[in-house]
Amino acid sequence: MRSSGGLRLPRAAYPLGLSVCLLLYVAYIKWHWASGAQALLSITEVASGGRGGQRTRIPPAMAPLSHQAFYGIMFDAGSTGTRVHIFHFSQRPGETPTLKRETFKALEPGLSAYADDIEKSTLGIQELLDVAKQDIPFNFWKATPLVLKATAGLRLLPGEKAQKLLQKVKEVFKASPFLVRDDCVSIMNGTDEGVSAWITVNFLTGRLENPGSRNVGMLDLGGGSTQISFLPRSEDTLQAAPPGHLTALQMFNRTYRLYAHSYLGLGLMSARLAILGGVEGQPAPDGKELVSPCLPPSFRGEWEHAEIAYRIAGQDTGSLHELCANRVSSVLHNQVHRTEEVKEVEFYAFSYYYDLAADVGLIDMKKGGSLLVGDFELAAQYVCRTAEVRPLSSPFACMDLTYISLLLQELGFPRSKVLQLTRKIHNIETSWALGATFHYIESLGRQKSLAS
């Protein structure tokens, strides 16, 4: 009991029976909060809907009087690395959750690198699990869902190899103290990756809180795939969308119809291989050197992609940028769908979009910033001209910038379009992981509501 600092009554003024009741009540309160996870509302009950949504009823004695804490752990098994995102949420009953903080750690290489030696994959997974154990209070462990979603790296592997890797991860997860369900490990559908990233950026910018606000679009460029997602307002966009480019999403008791698509093989690393003339998952015939007009004329070296080493070289045949643009255009020809409405939607771009822009000084390395789509083209022209006369820190700079510039234009973005580039919003990573965590928790809540 907390004293208000005001008038105190003499102890003699308390009847014996009231004193006993007060002692019992204080003892109950101490036991109640010491129980931690036992007194904690389960994750599925906390997040099973937004405002006005269906949620499991909390007994009056258990109803929290203030914000209730809960956690979620999402492993992102990408093509170039494995990352763990540990989210700490807070929520008042009947309200949309708020995100208090995120703990993030990444390891290289990606999970797919262990396709031929799956036992080695467990070391990195265990190291990242230890981060979660240190970050989350132990009395929350049993109620915290643990999930791994793999992206393009595993989507590009033969099915049997990918499944063996996932089964090994699941074994490690099952031995952990966290909440692990049968669907805890999976290969993420490319469209779901884009949708989850859309949830993340709109949640962090507050657009999901206000149904009347204009949502923002999302552009993600990974190593093996690239995604675009936005909420169309034009009927023309809905009518013209090819099969597989529209998807329905339930989030915080609302349904969204999104334009969302993932292009497998058009992530930056896979695109490099295509531009070089290689084939995904196959070494060059007889170790043949891959020659490309997108590499500096005097360059010769090796490049490794998906555990395969390639011998690569530039060619001295004229204007580097012009020849590279022609080569990139041939790779992108008829590979992506162009939408007119992207001109009118505010877009956030991250991953390799951010990294390449920061590398050449278009945005601040730590803070990010905004730029025009045409800035990528200007940077490509400058870097390609420079590469013709002297070595660069990366032999791929001309190729990568040219690819990004032409990819955006193929998607329908004019050179004058402004993009927001960021790694974090409110100090939270702008990846698909947060959106996927929300989606997973909400699905658990709906399943529990239906079961009850």
Side-chain angles (χ1 to χ4, degrees), residues 114-246:
Y114 303 105
D116 295 319
D117 193 355
I118 61 174
E119 294 299 327
K120 286 186 178 180
S121 68
T122 63
L123 297 176
I125 297 296
Q126 191 59 60
E127 181 178 341
L128 296 178
L129 277 175
D130 290 341
V131 174
K133 288 180 184 178
Q134 294 168 14
D135 191 63
I136 300 173
F138 76 92
N139 54 334
F140 285 81
W141 287 356
K142 290 183 179 179
T144 298
L146 172 62
V147 181
L148 177 142
K149 291 186 179 292
T151 56
L154 263 69
R155 288 201 292 268
L156 291 167
L157 279 180
E160 184 179 350
K161 287 188 175 183
Q163 289 307 314
K164 285 183 178 179
L165 274 170
L166 294 181
Q167 183 58 39
K168 178 55 66 173
V169 172
K170 192 171 184 178
E171 291 173 10
V172 177
F173 277 14
K174 288 282 188 181
S176 79
F178 299 108
L179 175 62
V180 177
R181 294 169 57 93
D182 287 339
D183 61 351
C184 66
V185 174
S186 63
I187 296 178
M188 196 177 197
N189 177 282
T191 298
D192 289 343
E193 188 177 343
V195 168
S196 295
W198 181 89
I199 295 171
T200 296
V201 73
N202 280 279
F203 176 81
L204 293 177
T205 56
R207 311 300 175 98
L208 294 183
E209 285 287 322
N210 182 3
S213 65
R214 291 183 68 90
N215 299 118
V216 299
M218 182 286 309
L219 290 166
D220 193 1
L221 181 61
S225 62
T226 185
Q227 291 80 35
I228 177 173
S229 300
F230 67 96
L231 183 66
R233 292 179 175 268
S234 168
E235 188 63 29
D236 290 342
T237 301
L238 299 174
Q239 294 296 326
H245 284 62
L246 297 177

Side-chain angles (χ1 to χ4, degrees), residues 375-449:
D375 290 339
F376 278 115
E377 184 174 18
L378 293 174
Q381 291 172 350
Y382 174 79
V383 167
C384 292
R385 283 198 304 269
T386 303
E388 292 175 359
V389 296
R390 62 181 175 85
L392 300 175
S393 58
S394 169
F396 292 102
C398 172
M399 178 190 295
D400 292 347
L401 288 165
T402 301
Y403 176 71
I404 286 178
S405 170
L406 292 175
L407 173 63
L408 289 170
Q409 292 177 50
E410 285 294 312
L411 288 168
F413 292 92
R415 291 176 175 82
S416 58
K417 176 68 179 178
V418 176
L419 299 179
Q420 303 293 330
L421 274 68
T422 181
R423 277 193 179 132
K424 294 184 177 183
I425 298 175
H426 305 312
N427 208 35
I428 305 298
E429 292 282 331
T430 52
S431 76
W432 56 261
L434 174 60
T437 302
F438 270 135
H439 207 199
Y440 188 83
I441 290 175
E442 283 228 331
S443 68
L444 291 182
R446 286 193 293 270
Q447 291 171 19
K448 187 162 186 177
S449 295

Side-chain angles (χ1 to χ4, degrees), residues 72-139:
I73 308 168
M74 180 62 67
F75 275 69
D76 168 5
S79 58
T80 57
T82 301
R83 308 115 189 157
V84 66
H85 301 258
I86 305 156
F87 299 109
H88 177 192
F89 299 104
S90 179
Q91 185 181 35
R92 289 183 184 274
E95 294 185 0
T96 301
T98 59
L99 181 60
K100 303 300 290 183
R101 62 179 172 83
E102 175 198 34
T103 298
F104 171 81
K105 184 172 182 178
L107 296 177
E108 293 181 349
L111 194 60
S112 55
Y114 303 105
D116 295 319
D117 193 355
I118 61 174
E119 294 299 327
K120 286 186 178 180
S121 68
T122 63
L123 297 176
I125 297 296
Q126 191 59 60
E127 181 178 341
L128 296 178
L129 277 175
D130 290 341
V131 174
K133 288 180 184 178
Q134 294 168 14
D135 191 63
I136 300 173
F138 76 92
N139 54 334

Side-chain angles (χ1 to χ4, degrees), residues 298-355:
S298 60
F299 176 79
R300 265 184 172 74
E302 278 198 355
W303 174 64
E304 188 174 289
H305 171 65
E307 296 298 291
I308 299 175
Y310 299 91
R311 294 169 55 235
I312 59 176
Q315 61 186 52
D316 189 6
T317 54
S319 169
L320 188 58
H321 180 259
E322 183 179 347
L323 292 171
C324 185
N326 290 338
R327 174 60 184 156
V328 170
S329 294
S330 68
V331 169
L332 286 172
H333 183 64
N334 289 333
Q335 293 299 304
V336 300
H337 179 250
R338 182 188 299 262
T339 53
E340 293 297 318
E341 193 175 350
V342 298
K343 299 174 182 177
E344 313 300 327
V345 178
E346 181 184 357
F347 269 85
Y348 277 69
F350 35 89
S351 298
Y352 279 119
Y353 288 117
Y354 185 105
D355 295 342

